[in-house]
């Protein structure tokens, strides 16, 4: 684990934004994506988003996320083929370009997050399921549930049921069955690997695409930007006390914004303090180490130059 001093030294050595001369650039909230012919160069920056806005940068976050996704792609490649081609830099993943399937395949092991908020408001008939009256917040489902949403290009993603997906012709029934099956197996694998590390994979989102008609897992997998993690050893106690379990993702920053800056997504974005940045970085590194069981390895050269040099060296620029 890095020391506070090591993290502090890198507070301004962050990858905030890139603008390389590669193909067609598309900037997401966290990643800078470069689409070119049959490939896509994904640069995972250090930007962090909360309440759907970018609120700052966290040193090492991009690397931690990229390397975590790389770990999971490798640990699941026997279940489904994935898009990874090359990792020329700790912050970069070069992937095979897929024809995206416009559904966010959300899998949930527990009643929490947005599903809980909808249930609490009285939602019972959701995603094509009938939820009963006796479900508690943060309760484990008997079997993980698939709660897909549409991938909205603007505004919020909307829930959609399996029936609607097939009826609207988004994908065929056969393909949806394969997606469902694959997502559940990925979630099971994620759950098993996490369990060995005292973690619960609470819920997550997968994105799939097609290459030559074959299903491919794309985007990212089991990272704190696409998943929620709880600590296993304190879950029961928290659940019984009707408290939220100790959470290992960006909930920390979200809580700081709410409690210390009174910010819930509206108005001017508050500036993160050095302290909160350092603690957030420490947590991202901790999640990486906890999940992979590996030490997080850093280089302290200027990150922007390092990324550019690695892209040049490997022929991407
Ligand atoms: N292998 C791939 N082939 C084609 N498209 C891909 C592949 N992997 C990821 N994508 C898509 O590339 C886009 C990357 O965007 P990115 O996730 O960075 O931003 P976003 O989804 O617009 O916003 P957010 O930051 O909220 O995720 C997404 O639409 C994703 O589905
Ligand atoms: Mg995305």
């Amino acid at each position: 684990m890095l020391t506070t001093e090591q993290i502090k030294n890198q507070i301004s050595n962050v990858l905030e934004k890139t603008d390389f001369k590669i193909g067609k650039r598309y900037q997401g909230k966290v990643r800078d994506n470069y689409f070119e012919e049959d490939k896509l160069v994904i640069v995972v920056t250090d930007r962090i988003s909360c309440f759907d806005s970018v609120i700052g940068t966290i040193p090492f976050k991009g690397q931690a996320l990229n390397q975590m996704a790389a770990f999971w792609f490798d640990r699941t490649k026997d279940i489904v083929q994935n898009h990874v081609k090359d990792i020329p830099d700790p912050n970069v993943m070069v992937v095979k370009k897929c024809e995206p399937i416009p559904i966010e395949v959300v899998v949930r092991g527990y009643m929490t997050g947005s599903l809980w908020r909808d249930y609490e408001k009285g939602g019972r008939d959701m995603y094509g399921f009938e939820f009963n009256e006796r479900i508690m917040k943060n309760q484990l489902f008997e079997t993980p549930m698939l709660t897909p949403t549409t991938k909205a290009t603007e505004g919020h993603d909307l829930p959609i049921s399996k029936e609607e997906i097939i009826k609207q012709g988004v994908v065929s029934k056969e393909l949806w069955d394969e997606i469902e099956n694959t997502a559940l197996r990925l979630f099971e694998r994620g759950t098993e690997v996490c369990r060995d590390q005292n973690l619960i994979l609470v819920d997550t989102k997968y994105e799939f695409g097609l290459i030559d008609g074959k299903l491919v897992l794309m985007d990212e997998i089991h990272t704190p930007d696409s998943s929620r993690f709880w600590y296993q050893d304190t879950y029961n106690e928290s659940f019984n006390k009707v408290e939220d379990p100790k959470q290992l993702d960006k909930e920390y920053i979200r809580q700081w914004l709410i409690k210390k800056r009174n910010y819930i997504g509206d108005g001017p974005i508050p500036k993160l303090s050095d302290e909160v940045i350092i603690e957030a970085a420490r947590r991202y590194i901790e999640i990486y180490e906890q999940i992979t069981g590996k030490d997080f390895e850093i280089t302290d050269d200027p990150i922007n130059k390092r990324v550019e040099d690695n892209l040049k060296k490997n022929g991407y620029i």
Side-chain angles (χ1 to χ4, degrees), residues 26-33 35 40 42 49 52 83 95-100 104 151 205 207 217-220:
Y26 168 80
Q27 183 173 330
K29 282 194 284 291
V30 171
R31 294 173 291 181
D32 292 347
N33 305 281
F35 290 83
L40 163 60
I42 303 177
S49 83
D52 278 340
H83 68 174
V95 304
K96 298 173 205 154
K97 190 153 94 191
C98 308
E99 189 191 314
E104 309 236 321
K151 253 176 85 175
K205 175 213 65 172
E207 291 186 30
L217 178 62
M218 56 175 225
D219 208 56
E220 57 185 327

Side-chain angles (χ1 to χ4, degrees), residues 15-16 27-33 43-49 54 61-62 65 220 225 250:
L15 195 63
E16 187 176 355
Q27 183 173 330
K29 282 194 284 291
V30 171
R31 294 173 291 181
D32 292 347
N33 305 281
V43 179
V44 189
T45 72
D46 293 320
R47 297 190 293 267
I48 181 166
S49 83
V54 174
K61 173 179 181 272
L65 247 64
E220 57 185 327
D225 276 3
K250 63 184 176 192

Side-chain angles (χ1 to χ4, degrees), residues 177-205:
D177 284 342
E178 188 186 349
I179 290 173
E180 226 174 53
N181 196 319
T182 307
L184 291 171
R185 287 178 64 202
L186 291 169
F187 193 74
E188 196 181 336
R189 176 68 53 83
T191 300
E192 282 165 13
V193 172
C194 284
R195 190 183 293 134
D196 291 341
Q197 306 290 344
N198 183 31
L199 289 176
I200 296 176
L201 175 61
V202 182
D203 43 44
T204 193
K205 175 213 65 172

